[in-house]
Amino acid sequence: MHTDSSCSTQLIDGDGVFNVTGVYTFIKEVKLEECGLSYAVVSIMGPQSSGKSTLLNNLFGTKFREMDAFKGRSQTTKGIWVARCAGIEPCTIVMDLEGTDGRERGEDDTAFEKQSALFALAVSDIVLINMWCHDIGREQAANKPLLKTVFQAMMQLFSPRKTTLMFVIRDKTRTPLENLEPLLREDILKIWDSVPKPQAHKETLLSEFFNVEVVALSSYEEKEEQFKEQVASLRQRFFYSVAPGGLAGDRRGVVPANAFAFSAGQMWQVIKDNKDLDLPAHKVMVATVRCEEIANEKFSHFMENEDWCQLEEASQSAPVTGFGKKLSLILQSCLSEYDTEATYFDEGVRSSKRQQLQEKLLQLVQPAFQDVLGHLRSGTLENFKEAFEKALNAGEGFSSSAHSCAQSCISRFDKGCEEAVIEQANWDTSKTREKLQRDIDDHIDSVRAAKLSELTTLYESKLNEALAGPVEALLDGANDETWPTIRKLLKREAELAVFGFSNALSGFEMDEETRNKMLSDIEIYAQGVVEGKAKEEAGRVLMRMKDRFATIFSHDSDSMPRVWTGKEDIRAITKMARSASLKLLSVMAIIRLENELDNVEKILSVALVDSTNNTASSKSITTVDSLASSTWEQVAPTKTVITPVQCKSLWRQFKNETQYTVTQAISAQEANRRNNNWMPPPWAMVALVVLGFNEFMTLLRNPLYIGFFFVVYLVAKAMWVQLDISAEFRNGALPGLISLSTKLLPTGMNLLRKLAEQGQAPSADSNPQARVSSSVGSSSFSSLSSTETISNNTKDD
């Protein structure tokens, strides 16, 4: 790399190869990229060894290689070289072109000459034509082929810009410049007229393409000091050459300094390929490429921007406060940098690429924006749920709470969206807002459904509690007032539930039809509780009938247990108990929630109870057949709980299962009757007294007999009590005799053992016989007492 900015760099070598690396290095060294449009390009053409490099070095302070006069005239500059003018503002780049008419190139000279001339005209603002003074006015002057080349090259430019042609007359003679200039201009016009032109430019004047300037310089070798003074004076004209009225042309096709290298390379490639050079199109192409490069560079810088990376990362986890403002600043900074670097390029291209850059940036940041909106939406929804729940818990009305909380949360969401939206994009947040609104509405609907379900469940449970137990108790004690009482109970509880439920629903905004339906459902539910309980109890009707039968049959009117003494009318009691059970069956057979008359009880009574009476055979058959049906007369099937056929079957089963109880009662009566008749008839007792008078008198005359028989009586009484003879004969004479035969010997042995134990006990009485008598007497009485106690307890049981 060159350390001195005035050092030259070969732009195009002698073989026509563009030095891409060298020119980019040169631009960086001279800091051309910083100049924007404030720079000028000067090129010089002329015959070989005409002192072009010497002129440039003295005029611009460059260091182009100069010809060594002592070595003879030869080609010094090969290709095209470039350098920065020293000390001239604005930045001026000068190009030294290979001389024309050189013997080194031979036949190839014309091709390269035309290419380099066209390149110089396309790139340069000012073109210096170096020519000898003695060629002015000569038909065969060395500069004529050069001028033809320049003018022909100008015709190849599709839409050329106006370039300044400065003719530098070298080695001026004594002839004044005022006299030389008209001759030179005349020669230039002749050459211009002689150059073939396209049809569009047949009548075009030279002045429309070129600003022609003429200057004259003394001989460098003969009058060096004068030459340098003239060059110094000429140098002043190149200061601020691009300013209005400056030396440079109209600069219509100028490209920004940072695109100079690319533009020059593309121009040379087009020229080398022998194609027409369309400068406007080239300008657009250069602008397109460079603006795209700048846009890509800024896009890459944006992706690596630390603030953006932090913002993107933060947006993935939670809402970002001031997201839109922060991101707008980052985007604006990026776009401003693009505008700064692309400001000198074609406006249409620049704007188009800026728009593309902005679209790419917006595509890049939009996911983060959507994340922020998503977090904002979810956060708002959660806030709504919390606020809504608190409002409901505080006792506020459902609809008012839902409306106020939803409106507040939507307003906060709108404010958050305003903070999240960026200035560079007109993104629509309405879809997210609509989704939030739908989510809020869905939540309100779900909470409404849950609350309504809770209310419905609450009042249903109240109805169930208020109806189930009483209805069960009423059905258990079934009578003529059972269903009227149930109807009153149902009406009262249903009205209370509907009133409370209606008040509870007042906080919910709903149409009248829905409200009425819900209230109607509560009434239907209450009715369903009663019907369900009736059906449930109907499933236990047989058990209820048996319980009622047992209660009435086994207890008297004072609810005391019956003792079957033989005086009770078992037939009447049985009929009464069965009638009560039949009443229970008739009450449970159908549901009577409407106050409608029915003949179910009459049908059952005639078919099941009265059929047992001694009636005509045909009448009995007809009555029984009235139960051979699955429906009751004048009763809807939906109100039927127990069908006639089922009633008949239940009654048959009921009679079979209660028959044993009746049989037991009859057997108990008979046994009690037998127990009460063990004494002999009265006539037998009179005969016994009459016939046994003598034996009775004998006992009175001999007291020992009385003592003996008394002892026998005590032993017999003890045996009677111990064996419980009366209880044994309750089940019949034969079973009693068999049972006594098995108990007689063990009981007698037990009494003798007790007598023996008491006889062996010591006594203070001196009379042994009295002690034995006393022992036997006391033992007998104790045995008798204990036996009587046991017997009495057994009877009570």
Coordinates of all heavy atoms in Angstrom, one line a residue, residues 44 50-62 66 128-133 167-173 215-236 238:
I44 N -6.2 13.0 -18.9 CA -5.4 13.7 -20.0 C -5.1 12.7 -21.1 O -4.9 11.5 -20.9 CB -4.1 14.2 -19.4 CG1 -3.3 15.1 -20.4 CG2 -3.2 13.1 -18.8 CD1 -2.2 15.8 -19.8
S50 N 4.4 13.4 -25.3 CA 4.1 14.9 -25.5 C 4.1 15.6 -24.2 O 3.7 16.8 -24.1 CB 2.7 15.0 -26.1 OG 1.7 14.4 -25.3
G51 N 4.6 14.9 -23.1 CA 4.8 15.6 -21.8 C 3.5 15.6 -21.0 O 3.3 16.5 -20.1
K52 N 2.6 14.6 -21.1 CA 1.4 14.5 -20.4 C 1.7 14.3 -18.9 O 1.2 15.0 -18.0 CB 0.5 13.4 -20.9 CG 0.1 13.6 -22.4 CD -0.9 12.5 -22.8 CE -0.3 11.1 -22.7 NZ 0.8 10.9 -23.5
S53 N 2.5 13.3 -18.6 CA 2.8 13.0 -17.2 C 3.6 14.2 -16.5 O 3.3 14.5 -15.4 CB 3.7 11.8 -17.1 OG 3.0 10.7 -17.6
T54 N 4.4 14.9 -17.3 CA 5.2 16.0 -16.7 C 4.2 17.1 -16.4 O 4.3 17.8 -15.3 CB 6.2 16.5 -17.8 OG1 7.1 15.4 -18.1 CG2 7.0 17.7 -17.2
L55 N 3.2 17.3 -17.3 CA 2.2 18.4 -17.1 C 1.4 18.1 -15.8 O 1.2 18.9 -15.0 CB 1.3 18.5 -18.3 CG 0.1 19.5 -18.1 CD1 0.6 20.9 -17.8 CD2 -0.8 19.4 -19.4
L56 N 1.0 16.8 -15.7 CA 0.2 16.4 -14.5 C 0.9 16.6 -13.2 O 0.4 17.0 -12.2 CB -0.3 15.0 -14.7 CG -1.3 14.7 -15.8 CD1 -1.7 13.3 -15.9 CD2 -2.6 15.6 -15.7
N57 N 2.2 16.1 -13.2 CA 3.0 16.2 -12.0 C 3.2 17.7 -11.6 O 3.2 18.0 -10.4 CB 4.3 15.5 -12.2 CG 4.2 14.0 -12.4 OD1 3.2 13.4 -11.9 ND2 5.2 13.4 -13.0
N58 N 3.4 18.6 -12.5 CA 3.6 20.0 -12.2 C 2.3 20.7 -11.9 O 2.2 21.6 -11.0 CB 4.3 20.7 -13.3 CG 5.8 20.4 -13.4 OD1 6.6 21.0 -12.7 ND2 6.1 19.4 -14.2
L59 N 1.2 20.2 -12.6 CA -0.1 20.9 -12.4 C -0.8 20.4 -11.1 O -1.4 21.2 -10.3 CB -1.0 20.6 -13.6 CG -2.4 21.3 -13.6 CD1 -2.3 22.8 -13.5 CD2 -3.1 20.8 -14.8
F60 N -0.7 19.1 -10.8 CA -1.5 18.6 -9.6 C -0.6 18.0 -8.5 O -1.2 17.5 -7.5 CB -2.4 17.5 -10.2 CG -3.4 17.9 -11.2 CD1 -3.4 17.5 -12.5 CD2 -4.4 18.9 -10.8 CE1 -4.3 18.0 -13.4 CE2 -5.3 19.3 -11.7 CZ -5.3 18.9 -13.0
G61 N 0.7 18.1 -8.7 CA 1.6 17.6 -7.6 C 1.6 16.1 -7.5 O 1.8 15.5 -6.5
T62 N 1.3 15.4 -8.6 CA 1.3 13.9 -8.7 C 2.7 13.4 -9.0 O 3.7 14.2 -9.2 CB 0.3 13.4 -9.7 OG1 0.7 14.0 -11.0 CG2 -1.1 13.8 -9.4
E66 N 7.8 9.9 -15.5 CA 8.0 10.8 -16.7 C 9.1 10.2 -17.6 O 9.9 9.3 -17.1 CB 8.5 12.1 -16.2 CG 7.5 12.9 -15.3 CD 8.0 14.2 -14.8 OE1 9.0 14.6 -15.3 OE2 7.3 14.8 -13.9
L128 N -8.2 16.7 -20.4 CA -7.2 17.6 -21.0 C -6.7 17.0 -22.3 O -6.4 15.8 -22.3 CB -6.0 17.7 -20.0 CG -6.4 18.3 -18.6 CD1 -5.1 18.3 -17.7 CD2 -6.9 19.7 -18.7
I129 N -6.6 17.8 -23.4 CA -6.1 17.3 -24.6 C -4.7 18.0 -24.8 O -4.6 19.2 -25.0 CB -7.0 17.7 -25.8 CG1 -8.5 17.1 -25.6 CG2 -6.5 17.2 -27.1 CD1 -8.5 15.7 -25.5
N130 N -3.7 17.2 -24.7 CA -2.3 17.7 -24.8 C -1.9 17.7 -26.2 O -1.9 16.7 -26.9 CB -1.4 16.8 -23.9 CG -0.1 17.5 -23.6 OD1 -0.1 18.7 -23.3 ND2 1.0 16.8 -23.7
M131 N -1.5 18.9 -26.8 CA -1.2 19.0 -28.2 C -0.1 20.0 -28.4 O 0.1 20.9 -27.6 CB -2.5 19.4 -29.0 CG -3.0 20.7 -28.6 SD -4.5 21.1 -29.6 CE -3.9 21.0 -31.3
W132 N 0.6 19.8 -29.5 CA 1.7 20.7 -29.9 C 1.2 21.9 -30.5 O 0.3 21.9 -31.3 CB 2.7 20.0 -30.8 CG 3.3 18.7 -30.2 CD1 3.1 17.5 -30.6 CD2 4.3 18.7 -29.1 NE1 3.8 16.6 -29.8 CE2 4.6 17.3 -28.9 CE3 4.9 19.6 -28.3 CZ2 5.4 16.9 -27.9 CZ3 5.7 19.2 -27.3 CH2 6.0 17.8 -27.1
C133 N 1.9 23.0 -30.3 CA 1.5 24.3 -30.8 C 1.6 24.3 -32.3 O 0.8 24.9 -33.1 CB 2.3 25.4 -30.2 SG 1.9 27.1 -30.8
F167 N -8.0 22.1 -24.1 CA -6.9 21.9 -25.0 C -5.7 22.6 -24.5 O -5.8 23.9 -24.3 CB -7.3 22.4 -26.4 CG -8.3 21.6 -27.1 CD1 -9.6 21.8 -27.0 CD2 -7.9 20.5 -27.9 CE1 -10.6 21.0 -27.6 CE2 -8.8 19.7 -28.6 CZ -10.2 20.0 -28.4
V168 N -4.7 21.9 -24.1 CA -3.5 22.5 -23.6 C -2.4 22.5 -24.7 O -2.0 21.5 -25.2 CB -2.9 21.7 -22.4 CG1 -1.7 22.3 -21.9 CG2 -4.0 21.5 -21.3
I169 N -2.2 23.8 -25.2 CA -1.2 24.0 -26.3 C 0.2 24.0 -25.6 O 0.5 24.9 -24.8 CB -1.5 25.3 -27.0 CG1 -2.9 25.2 -27.6 CG2 -0.5 25.5 -28.1 CD1 -3.4 26.5 -28.2
R170 N 1.0 23.1 -26.0 CA 2.4 23.0 -25.5 C 3.4 23.7 -26.4 O 3.2 23.7 -27.6 CB 2.7 21.5 -25.3 CG 1.8 20.7 -24.5 CD 1.9 21.1 -23.0 NE 3.2 20.9 -22.4 CZ 3.6 19.8 -21.9 NH1 2.7 18.8 -21.8 NH2 4.8 19.7 -21.4
D171 N 4.4 24.2 -25.7 CA 5.5 24.8 -26.4 C 5.0 26.0 -27.3 O 5.2 26.1 -28.5 CB 6.3 23.8 -27.3 CG 7.0 22.8 -26.4 OD1 7.0 22.9 -25.2 OD2 7.4 21.7 -27.0
K172 N 4.2 26.8 -26.7 CA 3.6 28.0 -27.4 C 4.8 28.9 -28.0 O 5.8 29.1 -27.3 CB 2.8 28.8 -26.4 CG 2.0 29.9 -27.1 CD 1.2 30.7 -26.2 CE 2.0 31.7 -25.4 NZ 2.5 32.8 -26.2
T173 N 4.5 29.3 -29.2 CA 5.5 30.2 -29.9 C 5.1 31.6 -29.5 O 4.3 31.9 -28.7 CB 5.4 30.0 -31.4 OG1 4.1 30.2 -31.8 CG2 5.7 28.5 -31.7
V215 N -5.9 26.6 -23.4 CA -4.8 27.3 -22.7 C -3.5 27.0 -23.4 O -3.4 26.0 -24.1 CB -4.8 26.8 -21.2 CG1 -6.0 27.1 -20.4 CG2 -4.6 25.3 -21.2
A216 N -2.5 27.8 -23.2 CA -1.2 27.7 -23.8 C -0.1 27.7 -22.8 O -0.2 28.5 -21.9 CB -1.0 28.7 -24.9
L217 N 0.8 26.8 -22.9 CA 2.0 26.8 -22.0 C 3.3 26.8 -22.7 O 3.4 26.3 -23.9 CB 1.9 25.4 -21.2 CG 0.7 25.2 -20.3 CD1 0.7 23.8 -19.7 CD2 0.6 26.3 -19.2
S218 N 4.2 27.5 -22.1 CA 5.5 27.6 -22.7 C 6.3 26.3 -22.7 O 5.8 25.4 -22.0 CB 6.4 28.7 -22.0 OG 5.7 30.0 -22.1
S219 N 7.4 26.2 -23.3 CA 8.2 25.0 -23.4 C 8.8 24.7 -22.0 O 9.4 25.6 -21.4 CB 9.3 25.1 -24.4 OG 10.1 23.9 -24.3
Y220 N 8.6 23.5 -21.5 CA 9.1 23.1 -20.2 C 10.6 23.1 -20.2 O 11.3 23.4 -19.2 CB 8.5 21.7 -19.8 CG 9.1 21.2 -18.5 CD1 8.7 21.7 -17.3 CD2 10.0 20.2 -18.5 CE1 9.2 21.2 -16.1 CE2 10.5 19.7 -17.3 CZ 10.1 20.2 -16.1 OH 10.6 19.7 -14.9
E221 N 11.2 22.6 -21.3 CA 12.6 22.4 -21.4 C 13.3 23.8 -21.6 O 14.4 24.0 -21.0 CB 13.0 21.5 -22.5 CG 12.5 20.0 -22.2 CD 12.8 19.1 -23.4 OE1 13.4 19.6 -24.4 OE2 12.5 17.9 -23.2
E222 N 12.7 24.7 -22.4 CA 13.4 25.9 -22.7 C 13.1 27.0 -21.7 O 13.9 27.9 -21.4 CB 13.0 26.3 -24.1 CG 13.5 25.3 -25.2 CD 13.1 25.7 -26.6 OE1 12.4 26.8 -26.7 OE2 13.4 24.9 -27.5
K223 N 11.8 27.0 -21.3 CA 11.4 28.1 -20.4 C 10.7 27.5 -19.2 O 9.5 27.7 -18.9 CB 10.4 29.1 -21.1 CG 11.0 29.7 -22.4 CD 10.0 30.6 -23.1 CE 10.6 31.2 -24.3 NZ 9.6 32.0 -25.1
E224 N 11.5 26.9 -18.4 CA 10.9 26.1 -17.3 C 10.2 27.0 -16.2 O 9.2 26.7 -15.8 CB 12.0 25.3 -16.6 CG 11.5 24.4 -15.5 CD 12.6 23.5 -14.9 OE1 13.8 23.5 -15.4 OE2 12.4 22.9 -13.9
E225 N 10.9 28.1 -15.9 CA 10.3 29.0 -14.9 C 9.0 29.6 -15.4 O 8.0 29.6 -14.7 CB 11.3 30.1 -14.6 CG 12.6 29.7 -13.9 CD 12.2 29.0 -12.5 OE1 11.2 29.5 -11.9 OE2 12.9 28.1 -12.1
Q226 N 9.0 30.0 -16.6 CA 7.7 30.6 -17.2 C 6.7 29.5 -17.3 O 5.5 29.7 -17.0 CB 8.0 31.2 -18.6 CG 6.8 31.9 -19.2 CD 7.2 32.6 -20.5 OE1 8.3 32.4 -21.0 NE2 6.2 33.2 -21.1
F227 N 7.1 28.3 -17.6 CA 6.2 27.1 -17.7 C 5.5 26.9 -16.3 O 4.3 26.7 -16.2 CB 6.9 25.9 -18.1 CG 6.1 24.6 -18.1 CD1 5.3 24.3 -19.1 CD2 6.2 23.8 -17.0 CE1 4.5 23.1 -19.0 CE2 5.5 22.6 -16.9 CZ 4.7 22.2 -18.0
K228 N 6.3 26.9 -15.3 CA 5.8 26.7 -13.9 C 4.9 27.8 -13.5 O 3.9 27.5 -12.8 CB 7.0 26.5 -13.0 CG 7.7 25.2 -13.2 CD 8.8 25.0 -12.1 CE 9.6 23.7 -12.3 NZ 10.6 23.5 -11.3
E229 N 5.2 29.0 -13.9 CA 4.3 30.1 -13.5 C 2.9 29.9 -14.2 O 1.9 30.1 -13.6 CB 4.9 31.4 -13.9 CG 6.1 31.8 -13.0 CD 6.7 33.1 -13.5 OE1 6.2 33.7 -14.5 OE2 7.8 33.5 -12.9
Q230 N 3.0 29.6 -15.4 CA 1.7 29.4 -16.2 C 0.9 28.2 -15.6 O -0.3 28.2 -15.5 CB 2.0 29.2 -17.7 CG 2.6 30.4 -18.3 CD 3.1 30.1 -19.7 OE1 3.2 29.0 -20.1 NE2 3.4 31.2 -20.5
V231 N 1.7 27.1 -15.2 CA 1.0 25.9 -14.7 C 0.4 26.3 -13.3 O -0.7 25.9 -13.0 CB 2.0 24.8 -14.5 CG1 1.4 23.7 -13.6 CG2 2.4 24.2 -15.9
A232 N 1.1 27.1 -12.5 CA 0.5 27.5 -11.2 C -0.7 28.3 -11.4 O -1.7 28.2 -10.6 CB 1.6 28.3 -10.4
S233 N -0.8 29.2 -12.4 CA -2.0 30.0 -12.7 C -3.1 29.1 -13.1 O -4.3 29.2 -12.7 CB -1.7 31.0 -13.8 OG -2.8 31.7 -14.1
L234 N -2.8 28.1 -14.0 CA -3.8 27.1 -14.4 C -4.3 26.3 -13.3 O -5.5 25.9 -13.2 CB -3.2 26.3 -15.5 CG -4.1 25.2 -16.1 CD1 -5.4 25.8 -16.8 CD2 -3.4 24.3 -17.1
R235 N -3.5 26.0 -12.4 CA -3.9 25.1 -11.2 C -5.0 25.7 -10.4 O -5.9 25.0 -9.9 CB -2.7 24.9 -10.3 CG -2.9 24.1 -9.0 CD -1.6 24.1 -8.2 NE -1.9 23.5 -6.9 CZ -1.8 22.2 -6.6 NH1 -1.6 21.4 -7.5 NH2 -2.1 21.8 -5.4
Q236 N -5.0 27.1 -10.4 CA -6.1 27.7 -9.6 C -7.5 27.5 -10.2 O -8.5 27.5 -9.4 CB -5.8 29.2 -9.5 CG -4.5 29.6 -8.8 CD -4.5 29.1 -7.4 OE1 -5.5 29.2 -6.7 NE2 -3.3 28.5 -7.0
F238 N -8.6 24.7 -11.1 CA -9.1 23.4 -10.7 C -9.7 23.4 -9.3 O -10.2 22.4 -8.8 CB -8.0 22.4 -10.9 CG -7.8 22.0 -12.4 CD1 -6.8 22.7 -13.1 CD2 -8.5 21.1 -13.0 CE1 -6.6 22.4 -14.4 CE2 -8.3 20.8 -14.3 CZ -7.3 21.4 -15.0

